[in-house]
Amino acid sequence: MDSSNGAVRAFIGSFTSAGGRGVTVAAVDAETGALTVLGATDAVPDPSYLALGPGGTVLYAVSETEPGGAAALDVSTGEPRPLGELRAVDGDGPTHLTLAAGHLVTANYGSGSVSVLPVAGDGTLGPVAAVLAHEGGGPVADRQEGPHAHQVLPDPSGAWVLSVDLGTDSVRVCAVDPATGELRPHGETALRPGTGPRHLAFHPSGRHAYVLNELEPTLTVCRWDAAAGVLEPVGEVPVLPEGVTVESYASEVVVARDGRFLWAANRGHDSISVLALDATGEHPSLVTTVGCGGHWPRDLALDPSGRRLYAANERSGNVAWFTVDPETGVPAHGGTLDAPAASCVVFG
């Protein structure tokens, strides 16, 4: 939330190397969902993914470069400002980040590793405390020659951090030591070879997780046991209709607050898939797809109200917003904001 008036804000990441503004802060119209730019900064190179800290006054960004970095930004006002120094993550091409156990955790795609940086009381980042290197590969020679960590996120219980690795067709479960930042490996769940898992999202019940695969247009359904820290694949469903021939790479998966629907963004097909979830959460089914409002939707995000979806369309350079029909889950396009090389949207 904006500390001054309680209004919801959107934070947009983008690739500065492709003409993006860097990190953009926008006001969100409560009635229409429309975005209005408040300020931007290009102080962080290629801030492709963002995460908002507790309290909503500090924003964290990866710098998806080689070598990679992570940065903190003061967003207590409309104009984002660097907070402390850009920190090395001791890895290449970080694509995602999350906050866990008082630390910032990054997924480093290029080097296939996960890094942990301490977060100080003022929100600034300290130097890397730990790096966990993934090992392995997969059958798709040009994409899975080695590990490629693509996402890190805490489970709903807060006890575990999961890292999704596109290169090894697996999801690793770790614990973060809150005192030292050490990453303690707990287990690794193998998924079907060649699927290329990219991102996952949890059902609001916390008992299921949905892994979106980039190299095949499918969604892997998993049971999640938080007490044991075990992820178990139980099924797989398509996210595109039969007969689609266009080359497409899924990017992000989002689950409705009430657990009735799931949405996936598809680059190439340039669509948002709508899947209905049954009462158990274990059996998604594809309902339809709708246009993403642009080209190459790299990210998809649900606003805090749960009523709107926002797609960051990287190659058309815009963020599109949609109002979700509460009965069918189908998004209706509402408008777009010009955002060159847009890569992600987060809210606060």
Side-chain angles (χ1 to χ4, degrees):
M1 295 288 182
D2 185 327
S3 57
S4 61
N5 59 16
V8 173
R9 293 175 297 166
F11 303 94
I12 303 165
S14 63
F15 288 97
T16 55
S17 60
R21 301 185 187 109
V23 176
T24 299
V25 181
V28 183
D29 187 287
E31 296 301 317
T32 67
L35 302 177
T36 303
V37 173
L38 299 174
T41 179
D42 61 0
V44 180
D46 288 345
S48 64
Y49 208 86
L50 311 172
L52 191 64
T57 60
V58 180
L59 184 74
Y60 297 94
V62 297
S63 180
E64 192 176 333
T65 55
E66 293 188 16
L73 298 164
D74 181 345
V75 290
S76 57
T77 63
E79 200 76 29
R81 294 178 292 109
L83 184 65
E85 61 186 281
L86 177 69
R87 292 290 189 180
V89 298
D90 293 355
D92 293 337
T95 55
H96 198 267
L97 77 172
T98 194
L99 293 156
H103 291 77
L104 187 76
V105 187
T106 69
N108 309 317
Y109 182 87
S111 52
S113 60
V114 173
S115 300
V116 184
L117 296 83
V119 178
D122 62 359
T124 56
L125 296 173
V128 168
V131 178
L132 178 65
H134 291 182
E135 296 180 354
V140 181
D142 61 337
R143 297 295 307 278
Q144 297 183 312
E145 78 295 341
H148 290 298
H150 213 305
Q151 183 199 33
V152 282
L153 79 166
D155 85 307
S157 77
W160 310 101
V161 171
L162 284 73
S163 57
V164 183
D165 196 302
L166 185 149
T168 64
D169 291 315
S170 63
V171 179
R172 288 166 176 81
V173 179
C174 296
V176 178
D177 186 314
T180 66
E182 179 190 1
L183 273 169
R184 293 192 292 263
H186 177 73
E188 182 177 357
T189 298
L191 304 179
R192 186 165 62 81
T195 52
R198 178 183 172 96
H199 279 199
L200 74 75
F202 284 96
H203 189 276
S205 70
R207 294 190 294 271
H208 290 89
Y210 309 97
V211 183
L212 187 64
N213 301 309
E214 177 173 334
L215 302 185
E216 290 190 12
T218 57
L219 183 82
T220 303
V221 181
C222 301
R223 291 178 187 147
W224 171 245
D225 184 337
V230 173
L231 189 71
E232 176 194 5
V234 293
E236 195 175 299
V237 297
V239 295
L240 291 178
E242 284 187 32
V244 170
T245 57
V246 65
E247 207 166 355
S248 191
Y249 304 92
S251 61
E252 183 61 291
V253 55
V254 176
V255 182
R257 304 271 192 263
D258 61 7
R260 294 177 57 213
F261 302 104
L262 177 152
W263 301 278
N266 307 294
R267 297 165 297 173
H269 193 251
D270 289 344
S271 65
I272 300 171
S273 301
V274 183
L275 289 86
L277 294 168
D278 70 337
T280 70
E282 197 158 300
H283 302 287
S285 57
L286 181 62
V287 175
T288 190
T289 61
V290 300
C292 67
H295 179 33
W296 212 254
R298 187 180 177 91
D299 189 38
L300 190 64
L302 198 62
D303 78 340
S305 75
R307 295 184 293 123
R308 292 189 184 89
L309 282 168
Y310 290 73
N313 296 310
E314 181 183 353
R315 294 186 180 175
S316 55
N318 70 310
V319 173
W321 56 89
F322 303 79
T323 299
V324 175
D325 186 308
E327 298 304 317
T328 65
V330 176
H333 185 252
T336 57
L337 172 73
D338 177 55
S343 55
C344 85
V345 184
V346 299
F347 292 92

